Amino acid sequence: MRTRLLAATLTALAAVSLAACSSSGSSSGKATSAAGTPTAAASTAGSTAAPTDAASTPAAPAPGTAAPTADGATGTPAPDAAASGAPAPAKPAPPADAGLPAKPGADLAGKLVAALDAIDPAIVGGKPEQAVDRARNQCQSMYQFPKDKGKLVELANQRFTTPDHPQGFGPDTAAKINDALRATLCPATR
């Protein structure tokens, strides 16, 4: 309903502006160029140009009054959120990839793999690209839940698994993984 009201109001304002501009420049009420010939907007065959005659143009509604909508019904103006005491709209949610670091270069990936191998070589398990992807996702969780250490330990246990450790490496090792990630790949979450 607000969209219809806005569209009708904008259409009426545009028509009034066009009529005012064209009627002040010619005595016939039609838009003309400096040479006295009709302009392209007024003479284009088959076009749906706005009327240039002030008498055929609907007047714009006064502020605070109802304006006709596209279907002819009269809508009521939308109340001002500040005047009605309604709370301001919530901040938009951050993008889905907020906190996700870019793919690291070879040197940073090597440091990350070395830090994880120092905790337990089974964490990387010969799959460094997989470990880096898991680490990037964990960095995103660290960004989203910076103060919830328990949740971050739980998520590290879910992400860093192997066939020998399907439930993760335990809370102590998961906390060490989070520390290693903060020191290498995701320092913005310190």
Side-chain angles (χ1 to χ4, degrees), residues 114-141:
L116 293 175
D117 278 342
I119 298 167
D120 186 341
I123 295 171
V124 176
K127 299 178 182 177
E129 288 186 21
Q130 184 180 39
V132 168
D133 286 341
R134 290 175 178 178
R136 290 179 64 223
N137 290 331
Q138 185 69 12
C139 286
Q140 186 175 28
S141 295

Side-chain angles (χ1 to χ4, degrees), residues 102-112 132 185:
K103 287 200 175 206
D107 57 333
L108 184 56
K111 288 179 185 178
L112 173 65
V132 168
L185 186 61

Side-chain angles (χ1 to χ4, degrees), residues 16-103:
V16 168
S17 297
L18 183 60
C21 290
S22 63
S23 65
S24 67
S26 82
S27 61
S28 69
K30 295 193 178 193
T32 57
S33 68
T37 59
T39 60
S43 66
T44 304
S47 74
T48 56
T52 57
D53 187 357
S56 66
T57 304
T65 61
T69 59
D71 62 358
T74 304
T76 56
D80 186 13
S84 67
K91 283 192 227 178
D97 64 347
L100 184 68
K103 287 200 175 206

Side-chain angles (χ1 to χ4, degrees), residues 4 6 10 30 35 47 55 73 82 86 94 116 118 123-124 161 179 181:
R4 285 186 185 164
L6 180 61
L10 290 175
K30 295 193 178 193
S47 74
L116 293 175
I123 295 171
V124 176
T161 60
D179 291 340
L181 297 182

Side-chain angles (χ1 to χ4, degrees), residues 122-123 130 134 156-163 165-169:
I123 295 171
Q130 184 180 39
R134 290 175 178 178
N157 262 333
Q158 291 174 6
R159 283 196 174 100
F160 292 92
T161 60
T162 64
H165 299 92
Q167 301 299 318
F169 289 85

